[in-house]
Amino acid sequence: MLSVLFVEDLQVRNMSRSTKGTKEDPGKRVKVKAGLNRAILDQGWFEFRRQLAYKLEWLGGKLFVVLPQYTSQTCPKCGHGNKENRKTQASFVCVQCGFSENADLVGRKR
């Protein structure tokens, strides 16, 4: 039996950028962002993905890396992609077929 897994190609470096800003334009909520950055980096996502790929290859499986752009804007029911499908962070409503779901779950169905 062939195992197939899909993972998003998340850019950890971009997700954990500093928000310090400059003296003229200081960043906002720097302490909160620093805590989030620490949590993101502590997860070891790169190593997890590397090990996952290695183990799947070793067992005859396949790992597919999916670009994260627009994954939660495309309807899993009709395939219509539009930024209007996701007007808020949490909700997804397809403007073409009316399908609605939590936006995070829509991204997983793609």
Side-chain angles (χ1 to χ4, degrees):
M1 183 165 116
L2 178 66
S3 295
V4 178
L5 288 174
F6 293 85
V7 295
E8 261 188 321
D9 189 20
L10 298 175
Q11 300 300 312
V12 175
R13 180 179 293 149
N14 294 343
M15 293 168 59
S16 60
R17 271 203 185 124
S18 174
T19 61
K20 266 187 190 172
T22 64
K23 192 172 187 176
E24 296 80 30
D25 186 24
K28 296 177 181 149
R29 303 183 69 185
V30 175
K31 284 186 180 181
V32 173
K33 179 65 173 145
L36 176 62
N37 290 350
R38 197 173 312 106
I40 288 170
L41 295 172
D42 282 348
Q43 297 305 311
W45 289 342
F46 176 81
E47 179 62 18
F48 173 73
R49 182 170 138 187
R50 191 186 72 75
Q51 286 287 326
L52 193 59
Y54 165 75
K55 294 289 185 179
L56 278 168
E57 185 178 325
W58 184 51
L59 296 170
K62 183 79 173 148
L63 180 69
F64 290 95
V65 179
V66 178
L67 294 175
Q69 291 86 356
Y70 313 112
T71 57
S72 60
Q73 293 179 359
T74 304
C75 180
K77 189 172 180 183
C78 71
H80 178 70
N82 190 322
K83 67 180 180 179
E84 294 298 314
N85 287 346
R86 186 169 178 183
K87 290 188 177 185
T88 69
Q89 181 71 23
S91 76
F92 177 94
V93 179
C94 180
V95 295
Q96 185 163 318
C97 72
F99 174 81
S100 67
E101 181 70 81
N102 179 287
D104 289 333
L105 296 176
V106 169
R108 291 180 186 160
K109 291 179 181 179
R110 295 278 317 138

